[in-house]
Amino acid sequence: MPVFIDSLETAVDAVLARLPGDIVLGTPLGIGKPNPLLNALYRRIKADPSRRLKIITALSLQKPAGHSDIERHFLAPFVERVFGDYPDLDYVNDLRAGALPPNVEVLEFFLKTGDYLGNAAAQQGHISTNYTFVARDMALHGVNLLAQAVAVCEGEAGPRYSLSSNPDLTFEVKERLAALPGHAFLTVGAINRELPFMPNHAEVGADFFDLVVTDPAASHRLFAPPNMKVTPQDYAIGLHAASLVRDGGTLQIGIGALGDAIAQALIVRERHNGEFRALLAALGAGEAGRELGRFADGLYGCSEMFVNGLMRLIDAGIVRRRVYDDAVLQGLLDGGRIGEAVSADTLVALRQAGRIGSPLSAADVDFLLRLGILRAGVRLESGELVFDGRRYAAVLDDPAALAAIGSGLLGERLAGGVVLHGGFFLGPADFYRRLHALPAEQRAAIDMHRIDFINQLDGDTALKRAQRRRASFMNTTMMVTLLGAAVSDALEDGQVVSGVGGQYNFVAMAHALPDARSVLLLRATREAAGEVRSNILWKYGHATIPRHLRDIVVTEYGVADLRGQPDGEVVKRLLAVADSRFQDELIVAAKVNGKLDADWSLPEQHRHNLPGRLADTLAPAQAAGLLPDYPFGTDFTADELALIDVMQRMRAAADSPLELARSALKGLFADKPVPPAWLERLGLDEADGLKALLLRRLFIGNL
């Protein structure tokens, strides 16, 4: 049984006493970290050079702070309102400042996107690995302390515990550590009452832990990234992607504006189908190869990250296809042999498939009870089924006995179905509130699970193949080469932007499943230092997804289906979805390198891939409310949204000397009414000094 400790500092004392040597700490990514406990441990070891600490984790989240005085002034009230008492991680503060003590090392397999470019310690401490290999790699480093934030549910029978947002790696890491000969380690759970309690595979007994920290100081608000604006570019990608999702299939999407765009596009497809079809036609998409109908059967979610967009699809009744944890039963459902309504035919089908016998065994009865096929309270006794004082022959091959069972012992519908499997979750504050408020039945249909279950087919292969039919695994990438390789985690010079995570896993799984597709989402251009650049390139010095795993690439200008195509055709299809400002130079590169015939020319219909045309096409739908800037709301106020718009224009101007001068002059002579509260919010109300006065003028010039 675990030791319950009501003080963070006492818990650190216990850890240090039980692990007298070096500590190798494994702790979950994202919101599964017990931040107050980690901070207490880090401070203690930082102050004691005789002890060493190695931290192995990912996605260490800090409250946004801003990169300039204006941004810091703007963010301070927002952060206080939205993030509240969320405690930043001390080791992250020191890592960002280049001030980690020599006796502490931080290794992360996934970095917060773009936050550590140029940070030598973080770059050198990055572990490049697939998500499914992380538990193995933690064991290789000799983790001897597992520390995780856990949720608790108080009940009449006593408290229940859940790994909540992060059952992704903990089970497998613990299993691997236990298998190491003579390896001693501790498992510590710190209760954070803000974590939603998730049942099913995330639930654990108290004896899962060696120490349970009950200190109220371990509870705090969860990190809640706000929903960001969905641009016309994002919506065009989302609409194209939504037209690839097959009814009755499986869906993975990610976090951020593109994930929200796909979710909203799927909702438009379901609720405003005529408008959905018209939008795709206006974007130049034909009907061939597209899925345009409503969702008669619904979707099943299988995603390493359970995001707000998937929750919205559950609420919209689109993610509703239930899967069950038995391969034979799932196969009968998928094949239409049985339905979710239980009848004697359900028993017959299971008997014919060899899943149950006749007479029924104790294991058969347990199986039928677990799936709700037999009603609760039925038991097997001396070879007969007993319920409510009556006895029934436990045979299915006798029509009379089968009829008796069918009339008196069956449940109404299959039980235990799941509409979504997720490995971890992260989202805005209202997403967490929604999870807390879920009715028990709906909560039970969401199963937070191990990443080695979700991200691969190994283990329970037959079950996973049955559940994950018609899968659309959608991931975002940064760049794609004309030969189909994708760049998602790092730059050409080796600087890590984020990490591989599970992207490779899902791409490989899409090729391994008979009817699955990998869909990589890509904005056709990006803006850097005031310059627009293409995200479709002839070549790049680094790849996350190799060209031999190319499948479907989606940009705002369309869908490039690359599966099984020769190099020349791949080049042509990617050129068709590239921004037209860069097509000619890409064509030249392809011809010079022998991948296009010298006399080949791009069809005229693809020569108009320009953002202005895109914005004009989608403007009516945006004005009608079908494609709102924030489809699932935002934590920003109206004033904050207006200020963000101005600050973005100021940043764009700062990247261009000519635009900077123009904005400054415009602000110098502009006579615009400026709300005093806006100037005060940005610290420009009492501007003095040349820099402050210039910033004030730039602000006014960009109103």
Side-chain angles (χ1 to χ4, degrees):
M1 288 299 293
V3 175
F4 290 85
I5 301 177
D6 62 4
S7 161
L8 289 169
E9 293 299 331
T10 304
V12 172
D13 289 338
V15 167
L16 294 175
R18 294 197 188 193
L19 299 173
D22 294 351
I23 293 177
V24 183
L25 165 67
T27 191
L29 60 78
I31 63 173
K33 290 181 178 62
N35 289 21
L37 177 64
L38 299 187
N39 284 343
L41 176 64
Y42 175 73
R43 291 167 191 158
R44 194 80 69 87
I45 291 182
K46 182 179 178 180
D48 181 1
S50 69
R51 302 297 300 260
R52 295 189 62 82
L53 172 65
K54 180 190 289 186
I55 301 170
I56 306 177
T57 187
L59 203 60
S60 297
L61 299 167
Q62 299 289 89
K63 297 189 295 285
H67 300 288
S68 66
D69 288 341
I70 283 183
E71 288 182 357
R72 284 188 281 273
H73 275 98
F74 169 79
L75 282 171
F78 172 79
V79 168
E80 183 177 356
R81 184 178 77 245
V82 173
F83 291 87
D85 65 349
Y86 174 81
D88 281 342
L89 291 156
D90 289 350
Y91 73 81
V92 174
N93 290 333
D94 285 351
L95 179 64
R96 290 186 174 184
L100 276 179
N103 60 332
V104 176
E105 184 180 6
V106 177
L107 308 180
E108 296 206 61
F109 65 88
F110 198 95
L111 304 174
K112 189 169 180 291
T113 303
D115 271 19
Y116 292 97
L117 293 172
N119 185 304
Q123 292 292 325
Q124 293 171 29
H126 174 71
I127 299 175
S128 183
T129 190
N130 290 333
Y131 206 166
T132 51
F133 296 154
V134 171
R136 175 204 68 186
D137 296 342
M138 284 187 166
L140 285 173
H141 281 273
V143 165
N144 57 10
L145 174 62
L146 281 173
Q148 175 150 358
V150 298
V152 65
C153 176
E154 305 289 352
E156 292 182 2
R160 297 161 57 202
Y161 301 93
S162 168
L163 301 185
S164 185
S165 64
N166 287 88
D168 51 335
L169 295 172
T170 306
F171 291 109
E172 187 185 357
V173 172
K174 189 173 179 181
E175 290 164 4
R176 286 180 175 271
L177 295 179
L180 295 175
H183 184 68
F185 66 96
L186 287 177
T187 305
V188 181
I191 294 173
N192 183 349
R193 295 184 179 275
E194 295 291 323
L195 277 171
F197 186 93
M198 306 304 291
N200 302 320
H201 285 92
E203 188 167 351
V204 294
D207 58 358
F208 184 81
F209 307 101
D210 298 299
L211 307 175
V212 176
V213 181
T214 61
D215 190 341
S219 293
H220 56 81
R221 200 178 298 186
L222 305 178
F223 187 91
N227 294 326
M228 302 307 292
K229 182 178 181 179
V230 181
T231 67
Q233 185 183 29
D234 299 328
Y235 267 128
I237 295 171
L239 287 162
H240 286 300
S243 73
L244 303 174
V245 178
R246 290 158 286 178
D247 185 25
T250 302
L251 179 67
Q252 175 200 310
I253 59 175
I255 198 169
L258 281 178
D260 288 353
I262 297 169
Q264 178 63 13
L266 288 168
I267 292 170
V268 172
R269 173 177 159 184
E270 173 69 11
R271 295 179 177 174
H272 308 278
N273 192 256
E275 290 89 338
F276 176 77
R277 291 169 181 262
L279 281 167
L280 279 171
L283 289 171
E287 294 193 2
R290 301 297 183 109
E291 300 288 332
L292 303 177
R294 292 187 171 92
F295 294 96
D297 298 324
L299 303 174
Y300 153 63
C302 181
S303 185
E304 66 180 25
M305 185 188 296
F306 174 26
V307 295
N308 190 35
L310 286 168
M311 187 73 247
R312 299 296 181 136
L313 290 173
I314 292 173
D315 288 340
I318 295 172
V319 171
R320 69 175 188 276
R321 180 172 76 85
R322 292 178 180 267
V323 300
Y324 297 84
D325 66 352
D326 184 87
V328 174
L329 178 75
Q330 189 66 50
L332 292 172
L333 280 167
D334 293 344
R337 294 279 309 283
I338 64 173
E340 292 194 327
V342 173
S343 70
D345 291 339
T346 308
L347 295 174
V348 172
L350 288 167
R351 169 76 175 116
Q352 291 175 343
R355 181 61 182 84
I356 56 176
S358 179
L360 295 170
S361 67
D364 292 336
V365 171
D366 288 344
F367 162 71
L368 295 171
L369 286 168
R370 178 170 59 84
L371 272 297
I373 298 168
L374 287 178
R375 64 198 303 178
V378 174
R379 68 184 190 276
L380 186 68
E381 185 178 289
S382 301
E384 292 183 309
L385 297 173
V386 180
F387 180 74
D388 199 22
R390 299 183 61 186
R391 306 181 77 85
Y392 300 77
V395 294
L396 305 180
D397 297 337
D398 181 326
L402 178 64
I405 293 173
S407 64
L409 298 185
L410 297 184
E412 294 183 1
R413 298 186 67 81
L414 294 176
V418 169
V419 301
L420 182 138
H421 282 115
F424 71 99
F425 57 72
L426 181 68
D430 65 344
F431 172 57
Y432 303 138
R433 289 193 292 268
R434 181 77 184 98
L435 290 178
H436 275 292
L438 282 175
E441 182 179 357
Q442 195 170 3
R443 186 189 303 270
I446 298 171
D447 190 4
M448 301 305 296
H449 211 324
R450 300 160 56 124
I451 218 67
D452 58 352
F453 174 82
I454 293 167
N455 282 36
Q456 63 183 8
L457 295 178
D458 291 349
D460 295 322
T461 302
L463 174 63
K464 294 175 183 179
R465 286 181 175 274
Q467 292 177 340
R468 297 172 193 185
R469 64 180 187 180
R470 303 176 195 165
S472 298
F473 297 133
M474 299 193 173
N475 289 280
T476 302
T477 188
M478 299 187 298
M479 293 170 278
V480 166
T481 72
L482 270 186
L483 295 178
V487 181
S488 307
D489 68 307
L491 303 179
E492 201 163 23
D493 61 2
Q495 286 285 304
V496 179
V497 177
S498 54
V500 176
Q503 185 171 111
Y504 182 92
N505 296 144
F506 277 93
V507 171
M509 186 161 49
H511 285 275
L513 288 166
D515 57 0
R517 301 304 300 266
S518 162
V519 183
L520 293 183
L521 311 171
L522 174 75
R523 296 178 177 95
T525 61
R526 68 188 185 280
E527 191 168 330
E531 179 185 354
V532 177
R533 302 177 185 178
S534 177
N535 285 329
I536 296 180
L537 313 169
W538 166 243
K539 64 179 180 179
Y540 200 72
H542 167 77
T544 312
I545 306 301
R547 56 188 281 196
H548 70 269
L549 291 179
R550 58 198 182 195
D551 198 350
I552 294 176
V553 172
V554 177
T555 77
E556 59 266 40
Y557 301 117
V559 174
D561 189 339
L562 311 180
R563 179 175 284 194
Q565 299 304 311
D567 281 0
E569 185 62 24
V570 167
V571 169
K572 293 173 185 178
R573 294 186 181 193
L574 285 170
L575 284 168
V577 299
D579 189 287
S580 291
R581 291 168 289 181
F582 303 95
Q583 288 168 332
D584 286 337
E585 63 188 75
L586 291 170
I587 290 170
V588 168
K591 288 181 177 180
V592 166
N593 289 281
K595 293 297 184 178
L596 286 177
D597 290 337
D599 61 350
W600 183 86
S601 61
L602 184 68
E604 180 62 26
Q605 69 194 74
H606 302 306
R607 282 288 188 180
H608 309 285
N609 295 348
L610 296 168
R613 186 166 176 261
L614 197 71
D616 291 343
T617 300
L618 297 182
Q622 290 183 293
L626 288 177
L627 306 176
D629 289 349
Y630 297 88
F632 308 129
T634 180
D635 290 315
F636 293 112
T637 66
D639 277 356
E640 286 170 344
L641 290 175
L643 287 171
I644 289 171
D645 189 49
V646 178
M647 288 191 294
Q648 286 175 336
R649 288 201 293 271
M650 290 175 67
R651 179 177 289 180
D655 287 337
S656 168
L658 182 61
E659 184 58 35
L660 184 65
R662 184 182 294 119
S663 294
L665 287 172
K666 188 177 178 183
L668 187 62
F669 297 107
D671 186 21
K672 298 178 181 178
V674 182
W678 288 14
L679 292 173
E680 182 180 356
R681 176 67 178 266
L682 300 183
L684 299 175
D685 52 330
E686 296 181 359
D688 54 7
L690 181 60
K691 180 180 177 181
L693 289 170
L694 176 60
L695 286 173
R696 179 174 175 136
R697 286 300 167 190
L698 281 174
F699 175 77
I700 295 171
N702 280 283
L703 281 173

